[in-house]
Amino acid sequence: MRKRVSKLATTLSYSAVGIASLGLAGIGSPSSAWAQTAVRLDELSVEASSGGAGRGSSGSGRLGDLPPPYAGGQVARGGSLGILGTRDVLNTPFSTVNFTQQVIQDQQARTVADTLINDSSVRLTTGSNGFDDTFQIRGFDVPSQDVGLNGLYGLVPSNRVAAQYIERIELLKGPGAFMYGIPPGGSVGGSINIVTKRALDIPFVRVTPQFISDGNFGVHVDAGTRAGENKEWGIRFNGLGRTGEASINGGDVQSGIGALSLDYRGERLRWALDVISQNDDTKNFRPQMTLQADIPFIPRPPDARGNWYPGTLLKQRDNTIASFVEYDLTDWLTAYGGIGYRAGSNQQTFPDSRVFGFSNGADALGNFRLINAFYDSDSSTISGNAGVKARFDTGPINHSLNLVFTGFTREDGFAYVSNTPDESVPSNIYRPAPLPVVTGARLNPQRYADTSLTSVAVVDTMSVLDDRILLTAGVRYQMVNQKGYDTVTQARTSEYASDATSPLAGIVIKPWQNVSLYANYAEGLTAGMIVAPGFSNAGAILSPYKSDQQEVGIKVDWGTITTTAALFQISRPNQAVSATNVVAYNGEQRNRGLELSAYGAILPSLRGFASATFLRPELTKPDDPLQRGNDASGVPDLTASAGLEWDTPWVPGLSLNGRVIYTSGPYLTNANTLRFPDWTRVDLGLRYATLVYDRPITFRFNVENVADNRYWLTTGTFVTVASPRTFILSASLDF
């Protein structure tokens, strides 16, 4: 216990120094009236940068402006859409969801992934305490590196984004290349953008100790204040220290996070700065492996608290600094820009079930060949944008015009040191063998790829009849340049350069003020995948490709409940692994689907959300004619999410909540001969807010995967086991 406390103190040390440097210790004792209000600081977060003036505006797009929460507080009325600015949901010709800090806190999310699964169009293909969070949106993979930070790609940690410094999570379903520029990880199914916390008008310090089963302890500190005659200057700090066993027996997860936010909100000038440091050390991180493509049946998932690669180690370091500025040249013309730099590194033991000369992956009984390696990587990114936006009228037509340049450059390095096939050993997912010692010397990562993504875009949203009809039209010229290098000689081994002009068109028609009929068409150029180690063509760069989306839908605001329905189609080249373990394009994958959703307040004391996605992930042009018309592997055809929260009438301050997540079983391979079982996860929780010695305190207790169900998370033959039953207990105390 003493050792654990010592580790926790170490990971918290820089957080304490940061808070002291902010001078928050001298804020003083808040009044009783403020203490009553501070029980739900998240309800005041929309006033963080404007004192309440303008934050309810759904179309202002001013730096720091956030649309207010919708009825129930779990979802916002709108959000930012990159070049389209900040939009109300009913004025947006796309399918979007904007999760608020309230739902992030009440569900006790640790990362972005814990919140996004509230939407049925989003699923995870990796489990907690794994290497990273990889999402699947509308049936296409979206890697964690494609999560945006205040509208810029490439600035968040490449493995997972911690929830502690997030104000909003904005989900755009469908290709986001037009709105935000080219995603560096090649995603087309959707776009995720996080909005960082800013200082509130009310000064506060909130301390939240937290316990996560089985034996992981942490403390989160959130503090902020504003200064100046009109509270122009703001400062906010979030720090987290955590250590101990999490979801894997014998494991240890140590996390240290520090996030500092500064901002200035003047009459014409608005500015913000974010500095984020995220450091994780994990012993026994959640493994992934390949299943053999020709197995007669799917193996039973092993114990979710076990590790079929016992003793794996993972060290992750990530640091980001980003600045954003906006200046009103006139009352109708605004210039803006943002730039950020991120540096990250990973060190890990990299056991694998793909061994040359043996069958690839595990068989139906869980037997596989085990080889061990070191796989270390680093990357550095510069990402930015600059533009002007104007609002003006031409006769009866209102215009919202935006012209923007986006730029992104990243250098990637890795070092892969593997044992030989002769040094591999037999193992089994139910009775894992000890990891073989890596016999080679660990090497420093060397450059293996340079990626440059630039674009210029212009878009105009024209509205008439008091926003009853909104027409959006734009074009983006995109350029991709990728270079590959030999990690030993540093000689250039490959290079791709491509460009494309991509259009965007969208229309919203509101026959009634609370009803929106919409349609959109969008294209985007996507950078090709850099093939990871473990494949025969590791280090190769696949050529850039174009994707497109068509969508129609309806949104209805019933007052306290909003319902949506959308029909969509997304097409892009399909990626597959050949029999010789080569990653390459293999025809086209076309996902057609129907999304239904509802969210809001059913009663004043009852709020919730529900959504369902019906998907047809069809292979339209595969190399193998026998696969034509088959479903793409690893993509479920039905997903559903629903959650409720109820304020109990018999105990003031006590709320009960629950969530159900369902996913149908996807196919193991594109041959569609074998399917994974479907799965259902049930989460339950409660929240109790009260005063202790006139100090607001909120207790939260959540149980994820209540039934402790075992099930596979998969992208086809690549699988991992979902997290086991997990208890999360915390107490948030405001000062």
Side-chain angles (χ1 to χ4, degrees):
M1 181 67 182
R2 182 177 301 172
K3 182 178 180 181
R4 179 171 293 172
V5 171
S6 176
K7 289 180 180 178
L8 179 60
T10 300
T11 56
L12 272 172
S13 59
Y14 70 84
S15 300
V17 171
I19 293 175
S21 67
L22 299 184
L24 294 173
I27 287 177
S29 301
S31 67
S32 178
W34 176 86
Q36 294 278 1
T37 306
V39 173
R40 298 294 302 195
L41 276 171
D42 44 270
E43 296 176 359
L44 302 177
S45 60
V46 294
E47 303 190 19
S49 66
S50 62
R55 296 216 73 157
S57 171
S58 63
S60 65
R62 288 161 56 98
L63 181 63
D65 283 358
L66 292 177
Y70 186 68
Q74 298 175 319
V75 176
R77 289 184 175 273
S80 61
L81 281 171
I83 192 174
L84 297 185
T86 301
R87 294 285 187 89
D88 185 273
V89 167
L90 293 187
N91 293 340
T92 302
F94 292 92
S95 182
T96 63
V97 182
N98 304 280
F99 294 105
T100 66
Q101 189 187 149
Q102 176 179 320
V103 73
I104 296 171
Q105 289 181 337
D106 290 344
Q107 293 181 340
Q108 301 203 78
R110 282 82 69 204
T111 71
V112 167
D114 297 321
T115 299
L116 285 171
I117 56 174
N118 289 325
D119 191 276
S120 62
S121 290
V122 182
R123 285 297 177 260
L124 283 172
T125 60
T126 53
S128 63
N129 302 126
F131 176 77
D132 64 3
D133 288 339
T134 299
F135 308 94
Q136 195 179 81
I137 304 178
R138 288 186 169 178
F140 290 109
D141 285 350
V142 177
S144 53
Q145 62 182 300
D146 279 1
V147 176
L149 176 75
N150 297 321
L152 294 180
Y153 283 128
L155 299 181
V156 300
S158 60
N159 302 94
R160 61 184 52 81
V161 183
Q164 284 73 24
Y165 51 85
I166 297 175
E167 181 69 42
R168 293 275 171 91
I169 302 175
E170 300 172 333
L171 171 64
L172 165 67
K173 304 171 196 177
F178 189 93
M179 267 64 80
Y180 295 103
I182 304 171
S187 57
V188 300
S191 178
I192 302 165
N193 181 58
I194 68 165
V195 179
T196 52
K197 293 178 179 177
R198 300 285 179 234
L200 309 180
D201 281 352
I202 297 174
F204 75 98
V205 176
R206 170 176 287 177
V207 179
T208 305
Q210 187 180 68
F211 168 81
I212 304 175
S213 61
D214 193 27
N216 189 274
F217 300 89
V219 177
H220 172 212
V221 177
D222 185 359
T225 190
R226 301 201 71 87
E229 183 178 350
N230 298 308
K231 298 186 178 181
E232 302 94 327
W233 294 94
I235 186 168
R236 190 159 180 180
F237 176 80
N238 279 267
L240 172 71
R242 177 178 291 153
T243 187
E245 183 176 302
S247 61
I248 295 179
N249 290 327
D252 185 47
V253 179
Q254 299 181 48
S255 296
I257 299 171
L260 176 67
S261 166
L262 305 175
D263 74 273
Y264 173 82
R265 58 185 195 204
E267 184 64 27
R268 289 188 174 274
L269 176 66
R270 294 165 295 280
W271 168 82
L273 175 74
D274 289 292
V275 181
I276 302 170
S277 180
Q278 184 168 323
N279 305 286
D280 298 306
D281 290 319
T282 307
K283 176 185 177 183
N284 275 325
F285 64 90
R286 189 163 299 283
Q288 294 175 277
M289 75 179 325
T290 299
L291 298 181
Q292 295 176 17
D294 57 353
I295 54 178
F297 57 88
I298 301 292
R300 175 178 53 87
D303 182 4
R305 294 195 58 80
N307 185 354
W308 58 65
Y309 298 141
T312 50
L313 300 174
L314 175 63
K315 179 183 291 186
Q316 299 166 314
R317 300 289 182 267
D318 232 286
N319 297 285
T320 295
I321 182 169
S323 183
F324 309 87
V325 67
E326 187 175 85
Y327 184 74
D328 296 333
L329 300 170
T330 67
D331 57 0
W332 59 271
L333 182 64
T334 299
Y336 66 93
I339 190 167
Y341 172 78
R342 172 196 158 269
S345 64
N346 303 291
Q347 281 190 336
Q348 63 174 320
T349 48
F350 191 73
D352 205 336
S353 61
R354 297 165 295 186
V355 184
F356 181 77
F358 296 88
S359 297
N360 246 352
D363 64 19
L365 300 178
N367 299 305
F368 66 95
R369 197 75 185 181
L370 170 63
I371 193 171
N372 202 8
F374 293 134
Y375 178 26
D376 300 338
S377 62
D378 60 25
S379 62
S380 59
T381 302
I382 298 175
S383 181
N385 63 12
V388 291
K389 51 188 177 181
R391 300 181 68 88
F392 57 92
D393 300 335
T394 55
I397 303 175
N398 303 318
H399 295 265
S400 178
L401 184 69
N402 201 334
L403 173 66
V404 65
F405 167 83
T406 64
F408 172 97
T409 63
R410 185 182 67 204
E411 179 179 295
D412 292 288
F414 83 84
Y416 183 65
V417 178
S418 175
N419 283 350
T420 66
D422 291 339
E423 295 172 306
S424 65
V425 297
S427 190
N428 185 280
I429 61 175
Y430 311 111
R431 301 173 302 279
L435 288 183
V437 176
V438 181
T439 56
R442 195 163 212 150
L443 303 176
N444 292 322
Q446 300 296 319
R447 180 178 61 169
Y448 81 99
D450 282 336
T451 302
S452 175
L453 311 172
T454 55
S455 67
V456 178
V458 61
V459 65
D460 186 15
T461 296
M462 296 157 280
S463 63
V464 296
L465 303 176
D466 194 25
D467 285 350
R468 289 297 183 97
I469 300 177
L470 299 99
L471 177 64
T472 299
V475 63
R476 186 182 285 268
Y477 176 63
Q478 304 170 95
M479 295 157 282
V480 174
N481 190 289
Q482 295 174 286
K483 300 174 184 178
Y485 298 89
D486 186 292
T487 57
V488 177
T489 65
Q490 288 294 282
R492 187 181 303 172
T493 57
S494 60
E495 182 174 5
Y496 281 108
S498 182
D499 63 276
T501 300
S502 304
L504 170 76
I507 187 170
V508 174
I509 300 175
K510 301 166 73 174
W512 299 277
Q513 199 62 41
N514 67 317
V515 177
S516 288
L517 305 174
Y518 73 92
N520 68 66
Y521 175 81
E523 291 183 2
L525 183 66
T526 301
M529 170 186 177
I530 301 172
V531 181
F535 297 98
S536 299
N537 59 334
I541 302 175
L542 304 187
S543 59
Y545 58 85
K546 292 189 71 173
S547 60
D548 63 80
Q549 169 181 282
Q550 302 89 44
E551 180 179 356
V552 295
I554 181 172
K555 307 172 187 178
V556 183
D557 184 349
W558 301 92
T560 60
I561 296 176
T562 290
T563 58
T564 70
L567 285 167
F568 63 88
Q569 173 180 294
I570 304 175
S571 301
R572 53 147 255 195
N574 183 51
Q575 293 177 1
V577 181
S578 71
T580 57
N581 202 34
V582 173
V583 180
Y585 295 130
N586 179 10
E588 180 187 72
Q589 179 179 339
R590 182 181 63 199
N591 290 2
R592 288 175 169 169
L594 167 66
E595 292 171 342
L596 304 173
S597 72
Y599 56 83
I602 305 167
L603 298 169
S605 61
L606 184 65
R607 55 201 157 271
F609 53 84
S611 57
T613 301
F614 305 86
L615 196 63
R616 174 71 166 97
E618 183 180 4
L619 299 174
T620 58
K621 302 174 184 178
D623 295 340
D624 184 349
L626 297 178
Q627 295 180 4
R628 185 178 298 273
N630 284 2
D631 283 2
S633 63
V635 183
D637 55 19
L638 172 60
T639 53
S641 299
L644 285 174
E645 185 175 62
W646 177 46
D647 300 330
T648 62
W650 57 81
V651 180
L654 176 64
S655 301
L656 307 179
N657 64 77
R659 177 171 65 178
V660 179
I661 302 166
Y662 171 80
T663 302
S664 65
Y667 285 107
L668 173 68
T669 68
N670 290 341
N672 289 185
T673 56
L674 201 58
R675 202 163 198 161
F676 288 91
D678 62 352
W679 57 266
T680 302
R681 170 181 144 185
V682 177
D683 303 338
L684 296 175
L686 62 84
R687 182 183 75 250
Y688 179 58
T690 185
L691 293 175
V692 176
Y693 295 107
D694 291 329
R695 300 288 184 179
I697 186 168
T698 303
F699 298 94
R700 294 181 176 91
F701 178 62
N702 295 80
V703 184
E704 298 177 348
N705 192 6
V706 172
D708 202 22
N709 288 337
R710 298 184 187 182
Y711 53 91
W712 293 109
L713 298 176
T714 174
T715 54
T717 60
F718 212 57
V719 299
T720 187
V721 181
S723 302
R725 181 192 297 118
T726 303
F727 300 94
I728 312 165
L729 175 65
S730 70
S732 296
L733 181 62
D734 293 344
F735 295 94

